[in-house]
Every structure is written in structure tokens, then in C-alpha cells.
Amino acid sequence: MRVLRTGVSSVAPHPHSEPAWLDTIMKGDCVAALNKLPSKSVDMVFADPPYNLQLGGDLHRPDQSKVDACDDHWDQFESFEAYDAFTRAWLLSVRRVMKDDASLYVIGSYHNIFRVGAILQDLGFWIMNDIVWLKSNPMPNFRGKRFTNAHETIIWAVKSKDAKPTFNYDALKTFNDDLQMRSDWHLPLCTGSERLKDDNGDKVHPTQKPESLLYRVLTASSNPGDVVLDPFFGTGTTGAVAKKLGRHFVGVEREQTYIDAATARIEAIEFGQGAGLEMQKGKRAEPRIPFGNLLESGMIEPGTELTSANGKHLAIVRADGSLKSGSFTGSIHKVGAMVQGQTSCNGWTYWHIKRGRKTSPIDDLRQEIRSRLRA
Amino acid sequence: MRVLRTGVSSVAPHPHSEPAWLDTIMKGDCVAALNKLPSKSVDMVFADPPYNLQLGGDLHRPDQSKVDACDDHWDQFESFEAYDAFTRAWLLSVRRVMKDDASLYVIGSYHNIFRVGAILQDLGFWIMNDIVWLKSNPMPNFRGKRFTNAHETIIWAVKSKDAKPTFNYDALKTFNDDLQMRSDWHLPLCTGSERLKDDNGDKVHPTQKPESLLYRVLTASSNPGDVVLDPFFGTGTTGAVAKKLGRHFVGVEREQTYIDAATARIEAIEFGQGAGLEMQKGKRAEPRIPFGNLLESGMIEPGTELTSANGKHLAIVRADGSLKSGSFTGSIHKVGAMVQGQTSCNGWTYWHIKRGRKTSPIDDLRQEIRSRLRA
DNA sequence: GGATCACGTGAATCTGAGG
DNA sequence: TCCTCAGATTCACGTGATC
């Protein structure tokens, strides 16, 4: 097995003992190569498996005029069966090396993606989303017999229903001009200077994916320092973007031509690091401040009156940090829920306090404490 | 079996002896009902089968209102095996009644579409395209745990590789401003007055499809006078659009409530009244370019410094498209507002980037991406 | 009467830390 | 592993009331 070592490790050494396969391309068959990795060792997988476009040839028989539906069915079963076996094998290998909360992204077209998706489900993977990559510049349908095939499908799956994968929701929302990122991604094809060409000017790989696609996948489901596996490495788009974004990679590839192109490509990239890689964090990342802290710190006195935003509900703050509203007592959340007759409530944003002439949510006080803590 | 006869036949009599089932809704199980149709008797099929959604508990919006989920009994299956068996059964029944060159459209989501697609292939169907219906107004992801599920997938398949289905290429191209119709269709959900409501104002069917979707399907793959089958008729969108466009329909439906609603709906339509209408187009607004696109496309590197026009304020671009300026972080718009102490700001014109000796607003970069997309 | 705003709602596999 | 409970979380668009 040939192994590529890029300069990555010297730039960003793994904190502990760095495994030999990190930031390398393993040459060989996908299943055989993955067997050399420890189980539960990667944080994310991006897979661009063969689409099996030649499948059509298998279906075409020379004496097709005599083929009846039953024989036709048999032919297809045979060749789909082979693709399914291949798919099950690599998915099982990938599954073994995935950490329990790792994310798997698989891209494909209508030729193969339905089989991949069904097998994923059969193997116990849990689908989080399917995503459509809409190509702004697809190849037209020359014969005018179908719709222009203008998209590919990406399946985001995890190992089980209970997995808690990385999902940088706030980062993606900020990325998308403060709107939730949707399941449709409008991105151009890989063309121009990004497309790797050989000495003859021919494209090195027939289906090189654009870096923008990997950028979005890695931003969504990985963190700096994570290990990203690509079992069909090709010309190394996954590795290139991983290195740019400060992630480690490991690739598997059978063709030496692709390995050579990918190696040169990745070596020319600088490992990303620094403040530029920090991502927007949500409220959950902030330290938890119990409501009692507002009393301890003197920001609120026992006996203070809180109101709902519309002023309809009143509550008194008691010395232990509980509220009393009529016959209801309990935490800010519980009392907020009870006065509204609901099952849950975010007391921080529901209850308001009068400060001077203005009324503001007690969440503002929490923010003041948090900024004090940071200082 | 209850049979609905609409007024269609009197308006557009079938040339030969018109079968009793034409322009009717057959009540009952899909397979049993289809057994009563002659083989090779329909020109097109549109199928909207149960999606096999697997919902956890209740889901509430941030304002505490409860999402009215699709939890109907007909959408519940015990296992993937059960769903697969159901799918194989109805697809085989449909296959028998399809003419050799008939088109089959099946719509689904990631819960079921991969299984449907794989089974289609296993049964010998030939996939022509997969089409994505991009919803302009999907339900958001309220908990921020996934991408907004903003699309559904439609598979267009025929009975065999050799089938020559109807495809009204030129009509579609004309509809699409002289561009080939692509595999991504941007259409809004079925809402407003089009959505059927009962006396309580509740929706009659949880998953009524928009007529615009059927309009496009029927225009693409059928001709006036053709017979269109919908084995999961629901509230009859397929029948309604078929009648408007001068196609005959035949539907199968188990629930009397849906049959009643569909009957009334279709009877109110005049045969062929919509045939001269121009097809509903998706909005072709200028594509929205989120700031993150500038990073994925490599136009801006993480760590780049942006300034306000007067140079007073600086900010660092981070990999996720967020800015960091002092202790402020967020989108270009939010940070622009914060550094100025204002409530809102157009980050595109506020922030500037140095390119060579010149400093220009980042909006210039956005324009470059737009022109690239147009090219 | 036109503009504005509050409100409702859509095929959804929708929490997680701590005890 | 289970239970408890703090507390985080939404976009587009149509309708109808109000100004």
C-alpha cells in the first residue's frame, strides 16, 4: 500500500500519537484498505462512489425483440445485484471505522442513489436529510428526450437513530445570510482553473466535484481537527478542502493517476488554522447561568415583580430563585409554562423586568453576567 | 366498489366504446381495484404513495403552537420490509395496466423514495429522470438540527429501456422561456384557496399536492385525450388537472372522505378549460447569493480583513461566513449593524475588501458570482 | 380604500445535560 | 440507562382585521 504523507502533520501535529494513516491516501481496494483502519476512528465520511452508469449496457440484449418481461427482470436483477453487493460491502467497512456520532455523506445520481439509500436504511443507518446539489451550469440534454439532468443527490446519514452528529447550525445560518440552510444547494460545476487537467489538457478525473460542495459539507458536519474519510478519493477534493479548513483527512483510491494528481494538489495547500476557522456558535455553547445567580449577584432583589411581555401575567421573585404567580410556584420556566397553560416555556425570554422606564426580558440580565464572566 | 362518474364523458366522448371506469374514482385497495382494469389501458400514471414517515413525539414551533403532522393510519408501516412489500405490490399492479410506452411518475421524500426507486429498478422499470420539487415555502426546521427539508423527489420511469414515452419537449421549452426544462422545479406548496378545507376549516387531506406540479407533469408526459391513472387519488389533484387539460383520468382511493371531496372538486371543473392556459412557471427571480458563497467559491479566504468605507471599522472573515469584529460576531449584516450601534445594516455595501490598490464593496464580488452563474 | 400588521400554517423521521 | 427539567428554536406566504 502506497501512502502519501503531506506536510500537514508538521504544521498541525496531532495532540497524542498521530496514526500513520492520518493525512494520507491509501492505495487499494476500498474494503481492503479500510480494514487497516481502527474501528470508530473517523468523525466524518464523504463518499462519491461509482455511479454505475454502464449499467445500461448490461440491460441491452442483442435479441431484445424476443425478450419478455421476466427475462428482462432477471438480467437487471443480476447486474443490480452486483452493484448492491459492492455497495453493501463498502458501506459496512465505512460503518466500522465511523465514530458512533460520525456523519456520512454519499453523493449519487438516479442511476445509483436509490439503491445506495435503500441499502443505507437496510444496514441500520439513519437518514438525516437528502440534499440536492443543483448545478447552475449542467450539461444540456442533447436529444431533447428528457429533462435536463441538472442535479445530483446527497444523502446525509448517521449510524443509528440515536446518533448525535455534529451540525453547525448557527454557522450555516450565518453563512446563509441569517436564514436556515436548506436542503437545496445551488452550486456551479467544477470547471475552469479548479478542474485538474493533464498534459494534454484533458480532464484528469471524469467527475471531479467542486470544492464549494465539500466546503459546505465539511462546514456543516465537522469541526477543525476532525478526521474526514473519503473512500473514493479520486483527485482529492475532499482532502484539499479538509486541509484548507483545518481538518485531517484519510483517503482510499485505486488508480495511481488519481493518487498522483491528488498528492500534488494537496501538497500545494496550506493547512488552515487560526481565527479564520472559528465558527459561529449558538446559545447552547454559552455557559449556563442559573436564575439564582441574578439574585446572588444583586441584579434582582427578592420580591421583585416580573411580567410577561404583554403584561398579562405577573410573578414575584423569591429569595431561592423560584417564582410565585398566583398559586403557581416553581422555576422561571415552569411558572411561565403554567400561567400560559403550556407544557414548556423559556423563562429567560418570557419574563420581563422593569428597569427605569423600559421593560426588558431577564435574558438581558443573563447576557450582562455572561459578558462579565468573559471579561 | 363505488364509482364516480363525472360529466367528462359527455363533453369529450371516447372515440370507441368508452369503458365504465373512465373518469371515475374506484373505491378500495389499490391492488384490488387495479385488477379490474384491463392491462395496457392507461397512458400515464402519477402516484403519490404513503411516505412512511416515522415521527417521534409531537413537534412544536418556537411559539409553542403544535405542528399538525401527517400521522394518519394509512401512512404507518411496521417495517421497511412491510413498506417494500406494499410498494412492490402496487407497482406490479400499475405496471400491468400501463401501456408499453406509458410514463410513471412517483413522488416521495427521503423516507421512502430510495426504496421506491430501487424497487422500480428491480421490477424492470427504466428511470428517465429524477426530478426535484423545490418548495419555495417549506416548513422550517424548528429545532435547528437538520437542513430545512425543502424538497421532494419525483421519479419519472417507463416500463422498459426500450419504451418511447410521450415527452413534449418543445412545449416545455417554450414554457421555460426557450430554455430546456430542467430536473429542478421551483413551485410553492398547495396553500390558500387551492387547499381543500372541511367545515371546521381544517385541511381535508394532510398532503394535498399543488395543481402546478400536476400541470407540469401532465404537460410533459401526456397528450389531450390520454388516460391518466392515479392509484393514490386523495383529494383528486391529478383528476382535477387532467380534466382541466382535457385528459381522462381514473383514480383509486380508500377513504370515503377524500373521495367525496375529490368528486365535488372535479365536478366543478369544465373539461379542457385549462388547456389553453400557459403553464405555471416557477419564479425566476435573480438568484440569492449568500455571503458564504464567496468563501466556498474561493473568492474570499478565511481570515481576510474587511473594512468599512471610511476605514474606521475592521472585521475578520471566518470560514463559515461570519465576521468577527472585536467581541462582535455574526453575519455581515449583523456585525455591520453592531459596530455602528444600529439595528440593521446592509453588509454587502457596508463592508469593503482590498483588491490590489483598490478598495471595493463586497457587493462587487457578489455581482461577479451572479454573472458567472448566468454564463 | 389602500397600506400595514398580526396571525396561522405547511409530508417533520426536530434537545440534551446532568443526576 | 433512565428520568428530570432547563431552555433553545422558524420561513414564506396567504388571509383577514385594522388603520
Side-chain angles (χ1 to χ4, degrees):
Chain A
M1 182 180 303
R2 184 189 181 283
V3 160
L4 158 85
R5 172 148 300 279
T6 72
V8 172
S9 58
S10 62
V11 182
H14 198 271
H16 309 294
S17 69
E18 183 179 308
W21 46 265
L22 204 67
D23 301 312
T24 66
I25 306 170
M26 300 189 288
K27 179 168 181 179
D29 169 70
C30 170
V31 170
L34 290 180
N35 280 341
K36 312 215 171 190
L37 295 189
S39 58
K40 304 189 180 183
S41 53
V42 306
D43 300 282
M44 216 208 84
V45 183
F46 180 87
D48 184 12
Y51 286 13
N52 208 18
L53 296 176
Q54 80 285 357
L55 212 53
D58 298 331
L59 301 171
H60 203 84
R61 287 164 51 157
D63 59 339
Q64 50 186 282
S65 58
K66 291 186 178 177
V67 171
D68 65 18
C70 185
D71 280 349
D72 216 24
H73 172 276
W74 171 255
D75 272 359
Q76 293 179 15
F77 185 79
E78 278 300 292
S79 81
F80 283 128
E81 180 88 329
Y83 189 80
D84 291 352
F86 162 78
T87 302
R88 263 190 295 271
W90 75 258
L91 279 175
L92 280 171
S93 295
V94 159
R95 189 179 172 85
R96 187 185 66 82
V97 301
M98 285 170 69
K99 292 182 185 174
D100 285 339
D101 290 332
S103 281
L104 165 66
Y105 284 77
V106 191
I107 186 167
S109 69
Y110 67 83
H111 305 87
N112 71 324
I113 199 66
F114 303 120
R115 315 203 71 81
V116 170
I119 291 170
L120 275 171
Q121 292 178 314
D122 290 340
L123 294 181
F125 285 94
W126 188 249
I127 298 179
M128 298 290 292
N129 275 116
D130 62 334
I131 296 154
V132 284
W133 166 31
L134 298 158
K135 305 173 183 180
S136 50
N137 47 351
M139 171 115 51
N141 184 281
F142 295 115
R143 302 179 58 187
K145 298 296 180 190
R146 306 177 179 208
F147 299 100
T148 305
N149 200 355
H151 73 278
E152 293 187 26
T153 301
I154 303 165
I155 301 176
W156 172 27
V158 290
K159 283 176 79 171
S160 81
K161 192 181 185 210
D162 305 314
K164 304 291 179 202
T166 295
F167 184 60
N168 294 310
Y169 175 79
D170 295 284
L172 290 160
K173 187 173 175 178
T174 305
F175 184 104
N176 196 36
D177 289 354
D178 297 322
L179 288 176
Q180 281 191 342
M181 187 68 82
R182 301 171 27 130
S183 59
D184 54 323
W185 297 0
H186 299 247
L187 299 169
L189 291 169
C190 179
T191 57
S193 61
E194 188 188 324
R195 188 78 192 234
L196 298 183
K197 304 278 176 58
D198 62 19
D199 296 337
N200 301 325
D202 298 324
K203 51 195 177 191
V204 174
H205 193 280
T207 65
Q208 185 182 339
K209 295 291 174 290
E211 295 196 2
S212 57
L213 188 73
L214 272 296
Y215 195 109
R216 198 172 291 191
V217 169
L218 293 186
T219 303
S221 293
S222 74
N223 289 308
D226 278 0
V227 177
V228 180
L229 164 68
D230 187 335
F232 305 97
F233 203 64
T235 46
T237 306
T238 302
V241 177
K243 191 172 174 187
K244 268 188 197 172
L245 291 178
R247 276 76 163 162
H248 296 280
F249 71 89
V250 54
V252 181
E253 177 53 53
R254 293 189 305 190
E255 305 287 329
Q256 191 61 46
T257 323
Y258 299 158
I259 292 178
D260 293 341
T263 303
R265 175 184 187 183
I266 294 170
E267 275 176 351
I269 291 170
E270 201 176 326
F271 186 81
Q273 52 187 326
L277 292 188
E278 289 168 16
M279 287 185 289
Q280 190 68 26
K281 294 274 189 266
K283 276 191 177 176
R284 282 210 167 89
E286 297 280 324
R288 205 177 75 82
I289 309 287
F291 180 64
N293 282 18
L294 303 192
L295 286 135
E296 294 175 342
S297 67
M299 298 180 85
I300 291 186
E301 299 284 328
T304 302
E305 192 171 75
L306 302 184
T307 63
S308 58
N310 56 18
K312 274 185 187 162
H313 296 290
L314 302 180
I316 302 296
V317 179
R318 303 197 293 188
D320 61 354
S322 66
L323 295 194
K324 182 178 172 67
S325 180
S327 60
F328 298 132
T329 61
S331 69
I332 54 172
H333 313 294
K334 274 199 170 163
V335 174
M338 286 188 287
V339 300
Q340 297 178 88
Q342 294 177 339
T343 55
S344 73
C345 166
N346 183 342
W348 289 108
T349 51
Y350 182 74
W351 294 110
H352 291 62
I353 188 170
K354 206 170 210 170
R355 297 203 289 173
R357 284 190 310 268
K358 276 190 64 175
T359 297
S360 55
I362 55 177
D363 200 34
D364 289 2
L365 301 178
R366 181 171 63 159
Q367 280 310 321
E368 284 178 29
I369 291 197
R370 280 185 176 147
S371 57
R372 264 189 234 166
L373 286 176
R374 272 193 292 268
Chain B
M1 183 180 301
R2 183 190 182 282
V3 161
L4 159 87
R5 172 148 301 280
T6 72
V8 172
S9 59
S10 62
V11 182
H14 198 272
H16 309 294
S17 69
E18 182 178 311
W21 46 265
L22 203 67
D23 301 313
T24 67
I25 306 170
M26 300 189 288
K27 178 169 180 176
D29 169 70
C30 171
V31 171
L34 290 179
N35 281 341
K36 312 215 170 188
L37 295 189
S39 57
K40 303 190 180 184
S41 54
V42 306
D43 301 283
M44 215 208 84
V45 184
F46 180 86
D48 183 10
Y51 285 10
N52 190 25
L53 297 186
Q54 294 150 56
L55 306 176
D58 289 341
L59 178 64
H60 292 86
R61 297 183 176 82
D63 65 4
Q64 307 272 20
S65 63
K66 186 167 173 288
V67 172
D68 184 15
C70 176
D71 52 2
D72 301 73
H73 63 90
W74 49 257
D75 197 47
Q76 310 293 323
F77 291 83
E78 280 194 0
S79 60
F80 284 132
E81 288 74 24
Y83 188 80
D84 291 352
F86 162 80
T87 301
R88 265 189 295 271
W90 76 257
L91 280 175
L92 280 171
S93 296
V94 160
R95 189 178 172 86
R96 188 184 66 85
V97 302
M98 285 170 69
K99 293 183 184 173
D100 284 340
D101 289 333
S103 281
L104 165 65
Y105 285 77
V106 190
I107 186 167
S109 67
Y110 66 86
H111 311 85
N112 71 323
I113 199 66
F114 303 119
R115 313 203 76 81
V116 170
I119 291 170
L120 274 171
Q121 293 178 312
D122 290 341
L123 294 180
F125 285 94
W126 186 252
I127 298 179
M128 299 289 293
N129 276 114
D130 61 334
I131 295 153
V132 284
W133 168 27
L134 298 162
K135 305 174 180 180
S136 56
N137 49 348
M139 191 177 319
N141 185 287
F142 296 115
R143 311 307 287 266
K145 292 293 151 185
R146 304 176 176 210
F147 299 102
T148 308
N149 199 352
H151 74 278
E152 294 187 24
T153 300
I154 303 164
I155 300 177
W156 172 26
V158 290
K159 283 177 79 171
S160 79
K161 185 173 191 272
D162 306 314
K164 305 283 183 218
T166 296
F167 185 61
N168 294 310
Y169 175 80
D170 291 304
L172 291 161
K173 189 172 178 180
T174 304
F175 288 142
N176 197 36
D177 295 340
D178 291 326
L179 290 175
Q180 284 191 346
M181 186 68 81
R182 301 170 29 128
S183 57
D184 54 321
W185 297 0
H186 300 246
L187 298 169
L189 294 171
C190 178
T191 60
S193 59
E194 188 187 326
R195 189 78 191 230
L196 299 184
K197 303 279 173 60
D198 63 19
D199 296 338
N200 300 325
D202 297 323
K203 54 192 179 194
V204 174
H205 194 282
T207 69
Q208 187 182 338
K209 294 292 174 288
E211 294 196 1
S212 58
L213 189 74
L214 271 296
Y215 201 114
R216 199 172 287 197
V217 168
L218 294 188
T219 304
S221 293
S222 75
N223 290 308
D226 278 0
V227 177
V228 180
L229 164 67
D230 187 335
F232 305 97
F233 204 64
T235 46
T237 305
T238 301
V241 177
K243 192 173 174 187
K244 276 188 191 175
L245 292 178
R247 276 75 165 163
H248 295 279
F249 70 88
V250 54
V252 181
E253 177 53 52
R254 293 191 305 189
E255 306 284 331
Q256 190 61 46
T257 322
Y258 301 157
I259 292 177
D260 294 341
T263 303
R265 175 185 187 183
I266 295 170
E267 278 177 348
I269 292 169
E270 198 178 325
F271 186 83
Q273 74 177 17
L277 297 178
E278 205 174 276
M279 184 166 55
Q280 291 89 334
K281 290 174 187 171
K283 287 177 189 167
R284 295 186 60 84
E286 192 140 36
R288 204 174 61 84
I289 310 288
F291 180 64
N293 281 17
L294 303 191
L295 285 124
E296 344 180 275
S297 68
M299 297 183 84
I300 292 186
E301 300 280 330
T304 302
E305 193 171 75
L306 302 183
T307 62
S308 56
N310 57 18
K312 274 187 190 162
H313 295 291
L314 300 182
I316 300 296
V317 180
R318 303 194 295 183
D320 60 354
S322 63
L323 296 194
K324 184 180 173 70
S325 181
S327 63
F328 298 133
T329 64
S331 66
I332 53 171
H333 314 293
K334 282 198 173 153
V335 174
M338 285 190 283
V339 298
Q340 296 179 89
Q342 295 176 343
T343 54
S344 69
C345 163
N346 182 348
W348 288 107
T349 51
Y350 181 75
W351 294 108
H352 290 61
I353 189 171
K354 205 171 210 167
R355 298 203 288 172
R357 283 190 311 270
K358 275 191 64 176
T359 295
S360 54
I362 55 178
D363 200 34
D364 289 2
L365 300 179
R366 179 166 67 158
Q367 284 310 322
E368 283 179 31
I369 290 206
R370 283 222 173 100
S371 58
R372 253 191 240 173
L373 286 177
R374 272 191 292 268

